[in-house]
Protein backbone atom coordinates (compact mmCIF):
# COMPACT_ATOMS: atom_id res chain seq x y z
CA UNK A 1 0.00 0.00 0.00
CA UNK A 2 2.78 2.44 0.94
CA UNK A 3 4.80 1.55 -2.16
CA UNK A 4 1.84 2.46 -4.38
CA UNK A 5 1.44 5.74 -2.49
CA UNK A 6 5.13 6.62 -2.91
CA UNK A 7 4.93 5.95 -6.65
CA UNK A 8 1.83 8.12 -6.88
CA UNK A 9 3.62 10.89 -5.00
CA UNK A 10 6.54 10.82 -7.47
CA UNK A 11 4.13 10.91 -10.42
CA UNK A 12 2.26 13.85 -8.92
CA UNK A 13 5.46 15.82 -8.43
CA UNK A 14 6.65 14.89 -11.91
CA UNK A 15 3.45 16.19 -13.49
CA UNK A 16 3.56 19.58 -11.69
CA UNK A 17 6.28 22.13 -10.93
CA UNK A 18 5.66 21.96 -7.17
CA UNK A 19 3.00 20.93 -4.65
CA UNK A 20 2.37 21.93 -1.06
CA UNK A 21 2.12 19.35 1.71
CA UNK A 22 -1.60 20.09 1.97
CA UNK A 23 -2.12 19.46 -1.76
CA UNK A 24 -0.22 16.18 -1.63
CA UNK A 25 -2.08 15.09 1.49
CA UNK A 26 -5.39 15.75 -0.25
CA UNK A 27 -4.39 13.86 -3.41
CA UNK A 28 -2.92 10.91 -1.50
CA UNK A 29 -5.68 10.90 1.14
CA UNK A 30 -3.20 10.95 4.04
CA UNK A 31 -2.07 13.46 6.67
CA UNK A 32 0.57 16.13 6.05
CA UNK A 33 2.80 14.35 8.56
CA UNK A 34 2.62 11.21 6.40
CA UNK A 35 3.54 13.31 3.37
CA UNK A 36 6.65 14.54 5.21
CA UNK A 37 7.66 10.97 6.10
CA UNK A 38 7.04 9.74 2.55
CA UNK A 39 9.13 12.57 1.06
CA UNK A 40 11.99 11.66 3.40
CA UNK A 41 11.70 7.98 2.42
CA UNK A 42 11.86 8.88 -1.28
CA UNK A 43 14.90 11.07 -0.70
CA UNK A 44 16.67 8.27 1.15
CA UNK A 45 15.86 5.93 -1.75
CA UNK A 46 17.61 8.28 -4.21
CA UNK A 47 14.62 10.18 -5.58
CA UNK A 48 15.59 13.88 -5.48
CA UNK A 49 12.58 15.31 -3.63
CA UNK A 50 13.35 18.84 -2.45
CA UNK A 51 11.33 20.51 0.32
CA UNK A 52 11.07 24.29 0.36
CA UNK A 53 10.00 25.85 3.63
CA UNK A 54 7.91 28.96 4.03
CA UNK A 55 4.56 30.25 2.88
CA UNK A 56 5.21 29.66 -0.82
CA UNK A 57 7.12 26.45 -0.17
CA UNK A 58 6.29 22.89 -0.95
CA UNK A 59 7.79 19.82 -2.58
CA UNK A 60 9.34 19.45 -6.03
CA UNK A 61 11.68 17.16 -7.94
CA UNK A 62 15.18 18.48 -8.52
CA UNK A 63 17.14 18.51 -11.77
CA UNK A 64 14.42 17.43 -14.19
CA UNK A 65 14.14 14.01 -12.57
CA UNK A 66 11.96 11.61 -14.59
CA UNK A 67 10.68 8.31 -13.27
CA UNK A 68 10.43 5.31 -15.57
CA UNK A 69 7.39 4.01 -13.72
CA UNK A 70 4.96 5.45 -16.28
CA UNK A 71 4.07 2.25 -18.12
CA UNK A 72 0.32 1.62 -18.05
CA UNK A 73 -1.01 -1.64 -16.70
CA UNK A 74 -3.75 -3.26 -18.81
CA UNK A 75 -6.50 -2.39 -16.33
CA UNK A 76 -5.31 1.23 -16.13
CA UNK A 77 -5.17 1.58 -19.90
CA UNK A 78 -8.67 0.15 -20.32
CA UNK A 79 -10.05 2.37 -17.58
CA UNK A 80 -8.41 5.43 -19.13
CA UNK A 81 -10.66 5.14 -22.17
CA UNK A 82 -13.68 5.37 -19.87
CA UNK A 83 -12.41 8.37 -17.94
CA UNK A 84 -14.95 10.66 -19.59
CA UNK A 85 -17.68 8.84 -17.68
CA UNK A 86 -16.62 9.38 -14.04
CA UNK A 87 -19.90 8.18 -12.57
CA UNK A 88 -19.74 4.93 -14.53
CA UNK A 89 -16.13 4.34 -13.46
CA UNK A 90 -17.06 4.84 -9.84
CA UNK A 91 -20.02 2.46 -10.07
CA UNK A 92 -17.91 -0.27 -11.71
CA UNK A 93 -15.14 0.06 -9.11
CA UNK A 94 -12.58 1.39 -11.64
CA UNK A 95 -12.08 4.91 -10.30
CA UNK A 96 -8.67 4.17 -8.74
CA UNK A 97 -7.36 2.50 -11.91
CA UNK A 98 -8.43 5.45 -14.04
CA UNK A 99 -6.88 7.92 -11.60
CA UNK A 100 -3.54 6.05 -11.72
CA UNK A 101 -3.67 5.93 -15.52
CA UNK A 102 -4.31 9.67 -15.81
CA UNK A 103 -1.40 10.37 -13.49
CA UNK A 104 0.96 8.22 -15.57
CA UNK A 105 -0.15 9.88 -18.78
CA UNK A 106 0.29 13.33 -17.22
CA UNK A 107 3.78 12.38 -16.02
CA UNK A 108 4.77 11.23 -19.50
CA UNK A 109 3.58 14.45 -21.22
CA UNK A 110 5.87 17.29 -22.18
CA UNK A 111 5.72 20.25 -19.77
CA UNK A 112 3.90 22.32 -22.42
CA UNK A 113 1.10 19.72 -22.51
CA UNK A 114 0.70 19.16 -18.77
CA UNK A 115 -2.53 21.14 -18.63
CA UNK A 116 -4.23 18.98 -21.32
CA UNK A 117 -6.18 16.78 -18.84
CA UNK A 118 -7.42 19.85 -16.97
CA UNK A 119 -8.45 21.79 -20.07
CA UNK A 120 -10.28 18.74 -21.47
CA UNK A 121 -12.13 18.20 -18.19
CA UNK A 122 -13.17 21.87 -18.21
CA UNK A 123 -14.78 21.46 -21.63
CA UNK A 124 -16.36 17.99 -21.77
CA UNK A 125 -18.39 16.00 -19.26
CA UNK A 126 -20.85 13.15 -19.76
CA UNK A 127 -23.79 12.89 -17.34
CA UNK A 128 -25.51 9.64 -18.30
CA UNK A 129 -28.67 9.46 -16.13
CA UNK A 130 -31.83 11.16 -17.33
CA UNK A 131 -33.37 14.22 -15.69
CA UNK A 132 -35.61 14.01 -12.63
CA UNK A 133 -34.49 10.57 -11.53
CA UNK A 134 -32.09 9.55 -8.81
CA UNK A 135 -29.44 7.19 -10.24
CA UNK A 136 -29.09 3.95 -8.27
CA UNK A 137 -25.98 1.83 -8.53
CA UNK A 138 -26.81 -1.90 -8.69
CA UNK A 139 -25.11 -3.63 -5.77
CA UNK A 140 -23.73 -6.43 -7.97
CA UNK A 141 -22.37 -4.15 -10.74
CA UNK A 142 -18.68 -4.23 -9.60
CA UNK A 143 -18.71 -8.05 -9.54
CA UNK A 144 -20.20 -8.20 -13.04
CA UNK A 145 -17.80 -5.54 -14.34
CA UNK A 146 -14.79 -7.46 -13.04
CA UNK A 147 -16.01 -10.62 -14.80
CA UNK A 148 -16.48 -8.64 -18.04
CA UNK A 149 -12.91 -7.30 -17.87
CA UNK A 150 -11.49 -10.73 -17.05
CA UNK A 151 -13.59 -12.79 -19.53
CA UNK A 152 -14.78 -15.06 -16.72
CA UNK A 153 -18.03 -16.96 -16.73
CA UNK A 154 -20.55 -16.14 -14.01
CA UNK A 155 -23.46 -17.98 -12.48
CA UNK A 156 -26.22 -15.42 -12.11
CA UNK A 157 -29.63 -15.54 -10.50
CA UNK A 158 -32.12 -12.92 -11.64
CA UNK A 159 -35.77 -11.99 -11.23
CA UNK A 160 -38.11 -12.92 -14.05
CA UNK A 161 -41.77 -12.22 -13.48
CA UNK A 162 -42.80 -13.53 -10.09
CA UNK A 163 -39.98 -16.08 -9.90
CA UNK A 164 -36.21 -16.36 -10.22
CA UNK A 165 -34.02 -17.99 -12.89
CA UNK A 166 -30.38 -19.09 -12.69
CA UNK A 167 -28.09 -19.13 -15.72
CA UNK A 168 -24.40 -19.58 -16.46
CA UNK A 169 -23.40 -16.58 -18.54
CA UNK A 170 -20.46 -15.35 -20.59
CA UNK A 171 -20.49 -11.60 -19.83
CA UNK A 172 -19.52 -9.79 -23.03
CA UNK A 173 -20.19 -6.14 -22.26
CA UNK A 174 -21.89 -3.54 -20.10
CA UNK A 175 -24.12 -0.73 -21.35
CA UNK A 176 -25.27 2.31 -19.38
CA UNK A 177 -28.53 3.58 -20.89
CA UNK A 178 -30.29 6.58 -19.31
CA UNK A 179 -28.92 5.70 -15.86
CA UNK A 180 -29.76 1.97 -16.11
CA UNK A 181 -27.02 -0.68 -16.40
CA UNK A 182 -27.45 -3.65 -18.77
CA UNK A 183 -25.32 -6.74 -19.33
CA UNK A 184 -24.96 -8.23 -22.82
CA UNK A 185 -24.06 -11.89 -22.34
CA UNK A 186 -24.15 -15.29 -23.98
CA UNK A 187 -25.97 -18.10 -22.24
CA UNK A 188 -23.06 -20.50 -21.71
CA UNK A 189 -23.08 -23.89 -23.40
CA UNK A 190 -20.62 -26.39 -21.85
CA UNK A 191 -17.93 -27.47 -24.30
CA UNK A 192 -19.05 -25.03 -27.00
CA UNK A 193 -16.55 -22.94 -28.92
CA UNK A 194 -16.24 -19.15 -29.26
CA UNK A 195 -19.42 -17.42 -30.37
CA UNK A 196 -21.71 -20.30 -29.37
CA UNK A 197 -24.79 -19.71 -27.24
CA UNK A 198 -27.60 -17.21 -27.45
CA UNK A 199 -26.83 -13.53 -26.85
CA UNK A 200 -29.23 -11.92 -24.39
CA UNK A 201 -29.54 -8.63 -22.52
CA UNK A 202 -30.10 -8.42 -18.76
CA UNK A 203 -30.80 -5.52 -16.44
CA UNK A 204 -28.15 -5.58 -13.72
CA UNK A 205 -30.56 -4.35 -11.05
CA UNK A 206 -32.62 -7.53 -11.54
CA UNK A 207 -29.73 -9.78 -10.56
CA UNK A 208 -30.18 -11.18 -7.06
CA UNK A 209 -26.90 -13.09 -6.99
CA UNK A 210 -23.72 -13.33 -9.10
CA UNK A 211 -20.86 -15.76 -8.56
CA UNK A 212 -17.70 -15.50 -10.64
CA UNK A 213 -16.45 -18.87 -11.86
CA UNK A 214 -12.83 -19.90 -12.33
CA UNK A 215 -13.41 -20.81 -15.96
CA UNK A 216 -12.64 -18.20 -18.61
CA UNK A 217 -14.55 -18.11 -21.86
CA UNK A 218 -13.17 -17.49 -25.35
CA UNK A 219 -14.52 -14.17 -26.54
CA UNK A 220 -15.92 -13.92 -30.05
CA UNK A 221 -13.57 -11.32 -31.54
CA UNK A 222 -16.19 -10.29 -34.10
CA UNK A 223 -18.62 -9.21 -31.41
CA UNK A 224 -19.49 -5.50 -31.81
CA UNK A 225 -21.02 -4.17 -28.59
CA UNK A 226 -22.25 -0.79 -29.94
CA UNK A 227 -23.73 -2.48 -33.01
CA UNK A 228 -25.38 -5.22 -30.96
CA UNK A 229 -26.87 -2.70 -28.54
CA UNK A 230 -28.23 -0.46 -31.31
CA UNK A 231 -29.90 -3.46 -32.95
CA UNK A 232 -31.37 -4.73 -29.68
CA UNK A 233 -32.59 -1.28 -28.62
CA UNK A 234 -34.46 -0.79 -31.90
CA UNK A 235 -35.88 -4.31 -31.77
CA UNK A 236 -37.09 -3.74 -28.21
CA UNK A 237 -38.65 -0.41 -29.15
CA UNK A 238 -40.57 -2.06 -31.99
CA UNK A 239 -41.62 -5.05 -29.87
CA UNK A 240 -43.54 -2.92 -27.37
CA UNK A 241 -45.39 -0.92 -30.05
CA UNK A 242 -48.43 -3.18 -30.24
CA UNK A 243 -51.19 -0.68 -31.13
CA UNK A 244 -51.74 1.86 -33.89
CA UNK A 245 -53.35 5.31 -33.98
CA UNK A 246 -54.00 7.55 -36.96
CA UNK A 247 -53.13 11.20 -36.38
CA UNK A 248 -53.35 14.35 -38.48
CA UNK A 249 -50.40 16.66 -37.76
CA UNK A 250 -49.70 20.31 -38.43
CA UNK A 251 -46.24 21.38 -39.60
CA UNK A 252 -45.32 22.08 -35.98
CA UNK A 253 -46.72 18.68 -34.98
CA UNK A 254 -44.52 16.95 -37.57
CA UNK A 255 -41.45 18.69 -36.16
CA UNK A 256 -42.31 17.87 -32.55
CA UNK A 257 -43.49 14.28 -33.04
CA UNK A 258 -40.03 12.61 -32.66
CA UNK A 259 -39.58 14.37 -29.30
CA UNK A 260 -43.03 13.34 -28.04
CA UNK A 261 -43.41 9.66 -28.96
CA UNK A 262 -40.97 6.80 -29.47
CA UNK A 263 -38.36 8.05 -32.00
CA UNK A 264 -38.40 4.76 -33.94
CA UNK A 265 -42.21 4.90 -34.25
CA UNK A 266 -42.09 8.56 -35.28
CA UNK A 267 -39.46 7.88 -37.92
CA UNK A 268 -41.43 5.00 -39.41
CA UNK A 269 -44.70 6.95 -39.37
CA UNK A 270 -43.29 10.06 -41.04
CA UNK A 271 -41.40 7.98 -43.63
CA UNK A 272 -44.68 6.35 -44.73
CA UNK A 273 -46.84 9.50 -44.57
CA UNK A 274 -48.57 10.80 -47.67
CA UNK A 275 -48.67 14.33 -49.07
CA UNK A 276 -49.87 17.23 -46.93
CA UNK A 277 -53.46 18.39 -47.41
CA UNK A 278 -54.55 21.90 -48.38
CA UNK A 279 -53.97 23.12 -44.83
CA UNK A 280 -50.47 21.71 -44.71
CA UNK A 281 -51.49 18.89 -42.35
CA UNK A 282 -50.09 15.37 -42.73
CA UNK A 283 -51.89 12.16 -41.77
CA UNK A 284 -49.72 9.39 -40.26
CA UNK A 285 -50.30 5.89 -38.92
CA UNK A 286 -48.35 5.77 -35.66
CA UNK A 287 -47.36 2.64 -33.75
CA UNK A 288 -47.78 3.06 -29.98
CA UNK A 289 -47.38 0.98 -26.86
CA UNK A 290 -51.05 1.31 -25.90
CA UNK A 291 -53.98 3.68 -26.19
CA UNK A 292 -53.25 4.93 -22.67
CA UNK A 293 -49.63 5.72 -23.53
CA UNK A 294 -50.70 7.36 -26.81
CA UNK A 295 -53.12 9.59 -24.92
CA UNK A 296 -50.36 10.77 -22.57
CA UNK A 297 -47.82 11.32 -25.35
CA UNK A 298 -50.06 13.02 -27.91
CA UNK A 299 -51.54 15.34 -25.28
CA UNK A 300 -48.16 17.09 -25.31
CA UNK A 301 -48.75 18.12 -28.94
CA UNK A 302 -51.94 19.99 -28.05
CA UNK A 303 -53.76 21.45 -31.10
CA UNK A 304 -50.89 20.42 -33.40
CA UNK A 305 -52.29 16.85 -33.51
CA UNK A 306 -55.80 15.56 -34.25
CA UNK A 307 -56.48 11.91 -33.49
CA UNK A 308 -58.61 10.32 -36.22
CA UNK A 309 -58.71 6.76 -34.90
CA UNK A 310 -59.34 4.69 -32.92
CA UNK A 311 -62.70 6.25 -32.10
CA UNK A 312 -62.27 5.62 -28.36
CA UNK A 313 -59.05 7.65 -28.28
CA UNK A 314 -60.60 10.42 -30.36
CA UNK A 315 -63.47 10.63 -27.85
CA UNK A 316 -60.97 10.99 -24.99
CA UNK A 317 -59.31 13.94 -26.71
CA UNK A 318 -62.72 15.48 -27.46
CA UNK A 319 -63.59 15.21 -23.76
CA UNK A 320 -60.21 16.74 -22.84
CA UNK A 321 -60.86 19.61 -25.25
CA UNK A 322 -64.30 20.24 -23.76
CA UNK A 323 -62.92 20.29 -20.24
CA UNK A 324 -60.12 22.66 -21.25
CA UNK A 325 -62.60 24.93 -22.97
CA UNK A 326 -64.65 25.02 -19.79
CA UNK A 327 -61.62 25.84 -17.69
CA UNK A 328 -60.48 28.73 -19.89
CA UNK A 329 -63.87 30.10 -21.00
CA UNK A 330 -64.18 33.78 -20.02
Amino acid sequence: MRAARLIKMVLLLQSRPAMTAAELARELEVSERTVTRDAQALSEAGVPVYAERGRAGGYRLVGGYRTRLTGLARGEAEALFLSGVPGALREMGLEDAASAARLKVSAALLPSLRDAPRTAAQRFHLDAPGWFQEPRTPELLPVVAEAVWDDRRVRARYRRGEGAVERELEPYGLVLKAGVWYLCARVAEPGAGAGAGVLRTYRIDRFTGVRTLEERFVRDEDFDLPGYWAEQAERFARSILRAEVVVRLSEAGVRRLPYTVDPVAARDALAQAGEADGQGRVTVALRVESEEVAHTQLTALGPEAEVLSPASLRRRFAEDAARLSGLYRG
Side-chain angles (χ1 to χ4, degrees), residues 253-312:
V254 169
R255 290 195 302 271
R256 288 164 53 186
L257 187 68
Y259 305 100
T260 307
V261 303
D262 181 86
V264 173
R267 187 180 68 219
D268 291 348
L270 294 174
Q272 298 169 17
E275 295 294 326
D277 61 18
Q279 297 178 314
R281 299 174 78 86
V282 174
T283 300
V284 300
L286 180 69
R287 301 291 298 173
V288 294
E289 187 174 345
S290 66
E291 187 173 313
E292 187 67 36
V293 171
H295 178 256
T296 301
Q297 293 176 333
L298 295 175
T299 295
L301 293 178
E304 308 305 330
E306 177 191 0
V307 173
L308 303 180
S309 68
S312 56

Side-chain angles (χ1 to χ4, degrees), residues 39-63:
Q40 185 175 352
L42 286 171
S43 182
E44 291 171 356
V47 178
V49 178
Y50 178 70
E52 295 178 320
R53 299 186 180 278
R55 211 169 178 184
Y59 293 92
R60 62 184 177 87
L61 294 174
V62 180

Side-chain angles (χ1 to χ4, degrees), residues 221-254:
E221 295 302 329
D222 293 330
F223 176 72
D224 173 20
L225 180 58
Y228 169 80
W229 178 257
E231 180 183 325
Q232 292 299 305
E234 184 160 333
R235 183 179 298 174
F236 172 75
R238 293 184 190 279
S239 71
I240 63 173
L241 303 177
R242 301 185 180 94
E244 182 177 279
V245 299
V246 178
V247 188
R248 185 181 291 133
L249 301 168
S250 68
E251 291 183 12
V254 169

Side-chain angles (χ1 to χ4, degrees), residues 18-296:
M19 294 184 71
T20 66
E23 289 172 335
L24 283 167
R26 187 166 55 250
E27 290 281 355
L28 299 172
E29 299 180 351
V30 295
S31 66
E32 292 186 31
R33 181 174 296 180
T34 299
V35 168
T36 301
R37 288 199 297 265
D38 285 353
Q40 185 175 352
L42 286 171
S43 182
E44 291 171 356
V47 178
V49 178
Y50 178 70
E52 295 178 320
R53 299 186 180 278
R55 211 169 178 184
Y59 293 92
R60 62 184 177 87
L61 294 174
V62 180
Y65 177 84
R66 307 283 297 175
T67 177
R68 296 184 179 274
L69 298 173
T70 53
L72 292 177
R74 172 175 288 276
E76 294 168 345
E78 290 169 334
L80 182 62
F81 286 100
L82 292 171
S83 58
V85 198
L89 281 169
R90 189 165 50 252
E91 292 176 9
M92 289 191 290
L94 296 171
E95 189 174 27
D96 289 343
S99 175
R102 285 192 295 269
L103 267 177
K104 290 183 178 182
V105 170
S106 296
L109 292 173
L110 293 171
S112 60
L113 299 176
R114 292 277 167 77
D115 64 341
R118 179 180 59 82
T119 56
Q122 287 176 336
R123 289 162 172 79
F124 302 101
H125 175 70
L126 176 60
D127 185 8
W131 289 104
F132 312 119
Q133 52 182 301
E134 188 69 28
R136 295 180 180 178
T137 304
E139 183 181 345
L140 295 170
L141 177 61
V143 179
V144 176
E146 187 175 353
V148 170
W149 285 121
D150 211 20
D151 290 343
R152 288 191 183 275
R153 289 187 174 187
V154 298
R155 183 165 291 281
R157 175 177 287 273
Y158 63 96
R159 297 189 304 274
R160 190 168 72 179
E162 296 298 320
V165 178
E166 188 170 292
R167 293 280 188 273
E168 189 170 307
L169 304 174
E170 296 176 352
Y172 266 64
L174 288 166
V175 175
L176 177 60
K177 170 70 171 178
V180 180
W181 283 96
Y182 296 87
L183 172 67
C184 303
R186 289 193 186 277
V187 179
E189 295 182 359
V198 180
L199 273 168
R200 291 182 180 169
T201 304
Y202 302 86
R203 277 184 61 146
I204 301 293
D205 58 7
R206 290 182 182 165
F207 285 151
T208 58
V210 175
R211 181 166 60 89
T212 304
L213 305 179
E214 290 297 322
E215 182 183 359
R216 282 189 168 88
F217 65 91
V218 180
R219 179 176 288 269
D220 178 5
E221 295 302 329
D222 293 330
F223 176 72
D224 173 20
L225 180 58
Y228 169 80
W229 178 257
E231 180 183 325
Q232 292 299 305
E234 184 160 333
R235 183 179 298 174
F236 172 75
R238 293 184 190 279
S239 71
I240 63 173
L241 303 177
R242 301 185 180 94
E244 182 177 279
V245 299
V246 178
V247 188
R248 185 181 291 133
L249 301 168
S250 68
E251 291 183 12
V254 169
R255 290 195 302 271
R256 288 164 53 186
L257 187 68
Y259 305 100
T260 307
V261 303
D262 181 86
V264 173
R267 187 180 68 219
D268 291 348
L270 294 174
Q272 298 169 17
E275 295 294 326
D277 61 18
Q279 297 178 314
R281 299 174 78 86
V282 174
T283 300
V284 300
L286 180 69
R287 301 291 298 173
V288 294
E289 187 174 345
S290 66
E291 187 173 313
E292 187 67 36
V293 171
H295 178 256
T296 301

